[in-house]
Structures are given as C-alpha cells and as structure tokens.
Amino acid sequence: MVKIPLQFRHNGRDVAIFVDGGTNLLVALRELIGDMTPKFGCGQGGCGACSVLVDGELHLSCLTLAETVAGRSIETLDGMRQGPNLHPLQRAFADHFAAQCGYCTPGMLMAAKALLDRNPAPSRDEVVEAISGNICRCTGYEPIINAILAAAGGRVSA
C-alpha cells in the first residue's frame, strides 16, 4: 500500500506523518502522533468519544479521512490546557462532577469548546443541542450541562 504524506497543525504545532490511504483521523492521531485523548468508542460516528476540532469545527475523527486534514488545524483535548493550567471548561467539569468514568469527557469537552468558541453565552437548550452527538452512560447529562453553563458564566440549575 502506498503511504500518503500528510502535514497539518496538531494542537498548535506542525506535524508531518505518512498514512495509508483510507486511514481515519482517529488512528492517525492515536497511533501515529501519540495523542490518546480522542477515544475510540463506536467507530461509526454515533457516540462522539472521538470528537476533535478541525479548523474550529467539531468533527468525528473516526469518520474523517486523515488525508482530508492536510494543511488544516486539529485541536484535541490535549491542546485545551496551557501547561499546568486547565481550560475553564476542564475546571468546570471537575468542579461540577461532570465526569464519572471519563470515557465521553474528551468528546464532550470538544463539543462544549466548539459551542463556546462561537457562542460564549449559550442557553441551556443550545448546550443540550451542542452535546447531542455525544453519548454518556454515567452522568445523566445534567452535571455536564451545568458545567458547560458554569464555564460560560451562565446560571446552573440546582
């Protein structure tokens, strides 16, 4: 199989790798770059665990061909923090107990970041819509919704 050269920005740094044709972005990130923060969930785009930002837009990395991100900017959960400092969303998730097993957390945080980057003061309904492509089996979603609203400086339901 022919290897395809691929260059893109990953969490603010330029990377260059070779991928097989048909390799998805999730495999490229995890196996070729070593970023284990996007999770493999269903492999069919139904759970959101593999969500990343491509040029600021939310994408399911399991359904995104790696070669389609050439020259683009990819942001994963690992790129949200600045050194030892957590992103406000990460801190809100911790403060509001929005992660239990944690498997959905990377995808939820990326969906929340995409929302807050384009709408810094979303309504509860907008938060619900933004995370609707992500499945959480543990929290019942309320702590996640409350954490996102708190990070946005909005009201949190009791």
Side-chain angles (χ1 to χ4, degrees):
M1 183 170 281
V2 176
K3 297 280 186 181
I4 299 166
L6 179 61
Q7 294 180 328
F8 59 93
R9 287 189 68 72
H10 172 253
N11 294 331
R13 67 177 178 86
D14 292 326
V15 296
I17 57 176
F18 288 93
V19 297
D20 292 324
T23 298
N24 67 34
L25 182 57
L26 179 63
V27 169
L29 290 169
R30 291 178 62 83
E31 295 180 13
L32 301 177
I33 294 178
D35 184 343
M36 305 305 274
T37 58
K39 302 298 182 204
F40 178 85
C42 66
Q44 299 174 348
C47 71
C50 67
S51 297
V52 299
L53 300 183
V54 178
D55 291 336
E57 296 293 322
L58 194 65
H59 284 259
L60 298 166
S61 63
C62 74
L63 297 181
T64 303
L65 286 175
E67 57 201 81
T68 67
V69 302
R72 300 176 79 182
S73 177
I74 311 304
E75 186 177 354
T76 67
L77 177 62
D78 192 46
M80 282 181 70
R81 62 181 167 74
Q82 296 295 318
N85 301 317
L86 294 178
H87 185 279
L89 276 165
Q90 291 172 302
R91 182 156 314 285
F93 267 57
D95 292 346
H96 290 83
F97 306 101
Q100 287 182 20
C101 83
Y103 207 81
C104 73
T105 304
M108 288 288 188
L109 282 165
M110 297 314 296
K113 184 175 188 312
L115 170 65
L116 296 184
D117 285 351
R118 72 175 185 278
N119 179 2
S123 67
R124 185 181 193 289
D125 288 344
E126 290 168 324
V127 170
V128 169
E129 176 66 26
I131 65 170
S132 66
N134 298 70
I135 294 174
C136 176
R137 304 259 187 234
C138 302
T139 68
Y141 297 96
E142 283 304 314
I144 294 169
I145 294 165
N146 289 338
I148 296 167
L149 289 170
R155 275 190 345 205
V156 175
S157 57

